[in-house]
Amino acid sequence: MGSNSFRLEIAELVKGKYKRVDYLKETVRLGAGLDAHGLLTEEATQRGLTCLARFAQRLKGFATWQVRAVATQTLREARNRDAFLQRANLVLGHTIEVIAGREEARLIYQGVSRLQPSELPRLVIDIGGRSTEMILGHGRTPQRTESFGVGSVSLSLQHFPQGRYTAEAFRSAQIAAGAELEEALTLFDRSQWQEALGSSGTVGAVSQILAANGITDGSITPEALRWCMAQCIEAGTMEALNLPGLKPERKAVLGGGLSILYTLAMHFDIEALRPAKGALRQGVIFDLEERIEAARNHRLPDPRDTSVRELQQRFKVDPTQAERIRQRALSLWATLGEPEAALDGEDARELGWASALHEIGMMVSHHDHHRHSAYILSHVDASSFSQSQLRKLASLVLGQRGELIKLAEHLHDQALMSQVLCLRLALILHHARVDLPPKLAELQRGRGKSRLVLPRRWATQHPRTLHLLDEETRRWAAQGDRKLEVTLKD
């Protein structure tokens, strides 16, 4: 779900080989629907929902695990994105993830590197509607990923109002693009790559124009871009611009796209930018394949597990305590005995990741570290995670201790509150930061309540733990979505 178009790609992967089954694309211009206050207008919302309703028809019969929907810059920016996503999830019938800019860049490179393999150091560029991603990579490994807040839709709206093309408009648009991209000059220096590829609709559209007019073979060069801009200026308006290879839906954003491309070509010494075979949508499919294979074969790592370990190292988390909490929280989760309690399900994975990262805020301060942990998870760039999933992990670690009133907006989410309960109880049981018997505790669910079962002999030997559990039962009775009982058995 991009800022300019929504795309649906259905593919089959057999022994790593990619076969497209179907592809749908609609120009939605969601990015043009952000008002001056950063709110998505109802008109733009309806355009998006109408498109998603058509996509939902095509996706009938697909299981949840077979589908992944991601949204990019416009929904990263929109202040009312949660309201939009609530409606969009219902229409599509699948959960939509908002991904961070660097994660978008990583997925773009994954799509390009799998469908167009090369051992040359390469620069990959994707000019979207409201952002531009740049990636340095070698083989299948992205070595540097960045996202910049300038795109073909936003730049066209600002510098080519009513679709008017002038030389001055192109100059001002290039200055604006250059100001946004200037910090990338040293990061993506010409000495670091040998070939340049472009994966976006902008690159594809300009390449088609150049090839259809016999200017180049489809390669985008500075000279060819100057020819394109001259044709725009000569036409004067987008309505009057009629070039072979130019699709009508591309006219409204061509000025901004050309300005970004020319700025990139001149600033980064790009002699020729060639269209890439892969893009974000293929990268998402390859990433989904890795998740599915990791779920089927536990010997294969989920890429998000690697990201969690990297965050633990970056924020100097105590790995021994994190693993104690993770194991205990998952043990309690498994004893719930409900459908969502499966240990290979996404809810269990999220509980495991939240447990592994619950103390990353300690690096900021021991006081209220759960709030620091939640803030970090809400804002950190974590490879393979969507912003939506990181925000859920943030809610879990925020709820790890203290009053439950701060989770008031989540009380209707029974699965999330069960995750919170398991995490809180694990922390209480291991508050002394020592190992305990693996099958010490069992968590049972009844109507409107949960029951923690402990051995009486062990409990009487740990009065401090019983005191903390007594406080916990009072909190759930007053502020939670259920009652919590502690039962001692002989």
Side-chain angles (χ1 to χ4, degrees), residues 320-427:
T320 304
Q321 176 67 356
E323 183 60 16
R324 284 192 196 104
I325 300 303
R326 191 185 74 85
Q327 294 283 2
R328 182 65 60 189
L330 289 176
S331 172
L332 294 171
W333 179 258
T335 60
L336 280 172
E338 295 194 0
E340 75 269 14
L343 287 177
D344 60 351
E346 197 72 354
D347 286 335
R349 290 193 187 95
E350 289 170 349
L351 175 58
W353 294 325
S355 301
L357 297 171
H358 76 281
E359 287 188 337
I360 61 173
M362 287 279 197
M363 193 175 189
V364 179
S365 170
H366 281 239
H367 179 67
D368 279 351
H369 74 266
H370 60 298
R371 297 187 185 278
H372 302 309
S373 296
Y375 181 86
I376 290 170
L377 282 172
S378 294
H379 296 84
V380 74
D381 281 327
S383 176
S384 301
F385 282 99
S386 68
Q387 286 188 332
S388 313
Q389 196 158 44
L390 287 171
R391 288 172 71 189
K392 183 172 182 182
L393 296 185
S395 297
L396 293 179
V397 300
L398 179 64
Q400 68 181 275
R401 58 184 288 190
E403 302 301 322
L404 289 163
I405 192 66
K406 56 181 174 283
L407 298 177
E409 64 180 289
H410 299 295
L411 290 181
H412 65 282
D413 190 336
Q414 187 173 333
L416 183 141
M417 294 307 294
S418 292
Q419 290 169 312
V420 168
L421 176 61
C422 290
L423 178 57
R424 291 171 70 97
L425 291 176
L427 285 163

Side-chain angles (χ1 to χ4, degrees), residues 27-145:
T27 302
V28 176
R29 299 213 199 295
L30 197 69
L34 281 180
D35 65 19
H37 303 288
L39 298 172
L40 202 58
T41 65
E42 182 59 26
E43 183 182 359
T45 296
Q46 286 301 327
R47 290 199 302 270
L49 296 178
T50 301
C51 175
L52 291 176
R54 283 192 280 269
F55 284 4
Q57 291 297 315
R58 182 61 183 86
L59 290 171
K60 281 186 175 178
F62 281 84
T64 301
W65 62 268
Q66 291 176 289
V67 179
R68 189 173 179 207
V70 301
T72 59
Q73 184 66 24
T74 295
L75 289 180
R76 290 198 285 267
E77 292 183 50
R79 292 171 55 197
N80 58 340
R81 77 173 183 182
D82 289 343
F84 173 85
L85 288 172
Q86 189 173 19
R87 297 166 69 182
N89 288 338
L90 288 173
V91 170
L92 184 62
H94 297 275
T95 301
I96 297 162
E97 306 172 43
V98 180
I99 54 175
R102 284 180 175 169
E103 176 62 6
E104 181 180 352
R106 185 189 72 84
L107 291 170
I108 289 165
Y109 189 81
Q110 188 163 7
V112 172
S113 64
R114 291 282 294 269
L115 292 182
Q116 195 167 342
S118 170
E119 287 306 312
L120 291 176
R122 50 179 30 173
L123 171 68
V124 176
I125 293 169
D126 188 297
I127 302 170
R130 295 188 72 90
S131 69
T132 294
E133 280 66 48
M134 299 181 69
I135 310 102
L136 276 178
H138 190 256
R140 288 192 181 180
T141 305
Q143 296 169 323
R144 177 169 291 130
T145 56

Side-chain angles (χ1 to χ4, degrees), residues 241-293:
L241 183 65
N242 292 300
L243 288 172
L246 175 59
K247 296 177 181 178
E249 66 269 17
R250 182 56 58 175
K251 287 185 177 183
V253 297
L254 183 62
L258 287 171
S259 299
I260 296 171
L261 276 171
Y262 190 69
T263 302
L264 287 165
M266 300 309 293
H267 280 45
F268 296 90
D269 297 325
I270 301 174
E271 300 91 350
L273 182 71
R274 294 178 176 83
K277 291 181 181 177
L280 172 62
R281 59 190 181 277
Q282 289 91 3
V284 169
I285 289 175
F286 286 124
D287 201 61
L288 178 58
E289 178 200 28
E290 289 183 5
R291 293 186 181 187
I292 292 169
E293 289 303 313

